[in-house]
Amino acid sequence: MSKQLVLVVRRTIAAEPSRVFEAWTRPEQLLEWWGPRPVRCTAAEIDLRVGGGYRLENTLPDGSVVVIFGEFAIVEPPHRLSYSWFMRTGEASPSEASRVTVRFEPHPRGTEVIVLHERIESEDLRSDHERGWNGCLDGLSAFFT
């Protein structure tokens, strides 16, 4: 078995934790900000409960679609989410499961969002996720501007 890598990405968002949590968990809001540009989130489904699932479709500039999906293990509004993370492109088999935990912590300028992505299979994938998460957090920050 290969070593499992970890990634932590943080960003302070100019909104209260309850508003940021809502933007992260409501499909109609996710569609507005999710995805590192020029990727667009074109579909979002969320069953926000422990054991509930989520499914996001990211459309790339070339028209290909990456599906991100998983199941919620922890749902503690407005403070924390933890969920499995799978990715599938086209008809390919899904990626190995990784784990994402997001904390929404009060901060003097709003909310510090801390994304912990664990069980990443390779350095290349870790770098891709780092770019992706930073791009998503750029979009979330702009959503509240």
Side-chain angles (χ1 to χ4, degrees), residues 30-45:
L30 265 171
L31 288 169
E32 293 188 42
W33 66 266
W34 180 266
R37 300 299 172 245
V39 174
R40 290 182 5 264
C41 183
T42 51
E45 301 168 14

Side-chain angles (χ1 to χ4, degrees), residues 16 20-21 33 49 64-65 73 81 83 89 93 114 124:
E16 295 179 10
V20 179
F21 186 92
W33 66 266
R49 61 183 174 83
S64 62
V65 176
L81 293 169
Y83 43 90
T89 304
S93 296
I114 304 162
D124 286 345

Side-chain angles (χ1 to χ4, degrees), residues 53-114:
Y54 73 94
R55 184 177 182 281
L56 306 173
E57 288 186 9
N58 286 353
T59 301
L60 283 55
D62 67 4
S64 62
V65 176
V66 175
V67 178
I68 300 166
F69 61 98
E71 183 176 291
F72 291 101
I74 298 171
V75 177
E76 297 174 349
H79 307 291
R80 185 166 66 138
L81 293 169
S82 187
Y83 43 90
S84 58
W85 175 279
F86 295 90
M87 292 175 52
R88 182 176 54 237
T89 304
E91 299 301 314
S93 296
S95 63
E96 293 292 317
S98 55
R99 168 78 47 202
V100 172
T101 301
V102 186
R103 293 193 337 252
F104 305 87
E105 298 187 353
H107 185 278
R109 291 177 307 184
T111 303
E112 184 173 21
V113 176
I114 304 162

Side-chain angles (χ1 to χ4, degrees), residues 104-125:
F104 305 87
E105 298 187 353
H107 185 278
R109 291 177 307 184
T111 303
E112 184 173 21
V113 176
I114 304 162
V115 178
L116 170 66
H117 197 148
E118 302 174 278
R119 304 180 195 158
I120 300 171
E121 291 293 320
S122 70
E123 289 288 349
D124 286 345
L125 190 53

